Amino acid sequence: MEATFDALLTQMEQQGFAVMDEFIDRASVAKLREHAQRAMADRAFHPAGIGQGQHHHTNHTIRNDQVLWLTPDTLAVWCPTLHHHIDHLTGWLNQSCYAGINQSEFHLAHYAPGAYYKRHLDRFANNNERRFTVIVYLNDQWCEADGGQLVVYGHAGHHSIQPEAGRLVFFPSDKLEHEVLPAKRPRWSFTGWLKTVRIPQSCCSTNY
Ligand SMILES: O=C(O)CCC(=O)C(=O)O
Ligand SMILES: [Fe+2]
């Protein structure tokens, strides 16, 4: 896996983003998608918002997908393979690149036909904790006519990526602008953000 992660980093340096197929196997994709579909049927998804903290709000002119936030523990149960790979990637980033990742957040996303997410950066204006974005798609046999491509604005201009099952997209959350074009069939994905969260000094000190 280390050689694979090296290749990811090389791609990211060269083009501003990295793409890897079969990051997780088909059976793991199918299992995670089934959990997502069941949660959707149970009305556990809710309209996605933009902004953070007190600035968080929904804005359907910018995005109109639905999301379900997952704790790392739930991810570990719903898709142990993906949980393990993300853990492994985080450890590698910390050891090889001194990335200082100490937290993560994850959600599943569902784009109903017609849903989109306009061009944006993943890092909030008032919070620089998000360092890397990790997206894994859960859609079998996606084709051009299905729409829903992820368009990334990399070093060499824009590039369109099909949200195909098992495919990983990886990029720096504060640098790469991207958008999701309107999907024409239900579009399922997992998105994670690897973060560096400053621990307040007072939490680390011990009083003797
Ligand atoms: O699903 C995708 O392709 C990208 C989603 C995205 O940009 C986001 O959730 O911030
Ligand atoms: Fe994004």
Side-chain angles (χ1 to χ4, degrees):
M1 207 74 179
E2 273 68 17
T4 311
F5 293 157
D6 267 335
L8 275 184
L9 218 62
T10 305
Q11 273 192 53
M12 204 160 68
E13 279 162 9
Q14 286 172 352
Q15 17 176 67
F17 62 93
V19 180
M20 189 201 296
D21 286 342
E22 295 173 19
F23 185 63
I24 59 171
D25 59 279
R26 294 272 157 173
S28 299
V29 167
K31 200 168 149 222
L32 185 55
R33 191 178 53 221
E34 271 166 34
H35 278 290
Q37 287 169 336
R38 202 166 310 134
M40 173 64 77
D42 290 344
R43 299 175 186 272
F45 278 66
H46 57 84
I50 55 170
Q52 205 229 6
Q54 63 190 43
H55 303 289
H56 184 84
H57 62 285
T58 51
N59 182 334
H60 286 203
T61 62
I62 295 179
R63 74 184 295 189
N64 55 2
D65 56 320
Q66 291 183 296
V67 298
L68 172 65
W69 290 95
L70 297 181
T71 63
D73 287 349
T74 303
L75 180 63
V77 174
W78 285 12
C79 194
T81 307
L82 182 53
H83 181 264
H84 175 263
H85 284 9
I86 288 181
D87 240 29
H88 197 165
L89 174 62
T90 303
W92 182 84
L93 286 167
N94 284 344
Q95 275 159 27
S96 309
C97 317
Y98 306 104
I101 309 296
N102 58 7
Q103 258 185 45
S104 46
E105 55 188 357
F106 310 124
H107 72 40
L108 290 166
H110 174 251
Y111 289 69
Y116 51 79
Y117 191 169
K118 295 277 173 66
R119 185 168 171 168
H120 66 281
L121 277 177
D122 280 356
R123 185 179 278 187
F124 303 114
N126 59 341
N127 180 315
N128 63 5
E129 290 173 354
R130 287 180 170 181
R131 306 280 309 286
F132 297 100
T133 300
V134 178
I135 305 169
V136 179
Y137 296 111
L138 309 177
N139 313 291
D140 285 335
Q141 296 180 348
W142 199 269
C143 64
E144 191 67 38
D146 294 328
Q149 287 80 19
L150 173 70
V151 179
V152 294
Y153 295 86
H155 299 333
H158 70 281
H159 185 88
S160 177
I161 300 167
Q162 303 286 357
E164 181 64 34
R167 177 170 289 163
L168 166 83
V169 182
F170 180 65
F171 55 83
S173 305
D174 60 330
K175 292 199 175 66
L176 188 85
E177 293 195 353
H178 54 285
E179 68 181 307
V180 179
L181 300 182
K184 294 187 180 144
R185 59 176 256 216
R187 178 191 193 271
W188 297 93
S189 59
F190 164 92
T191 307
W193 291 276
L194 310 183
K195 311 201 304 183
T196 302
V197 177
R198 276 179 176 277
I199 316 288
Q201 209 59 40
S202 57
C203 298
C204 309
S205 61
T206 313
N207 292 319
Y208 293 103

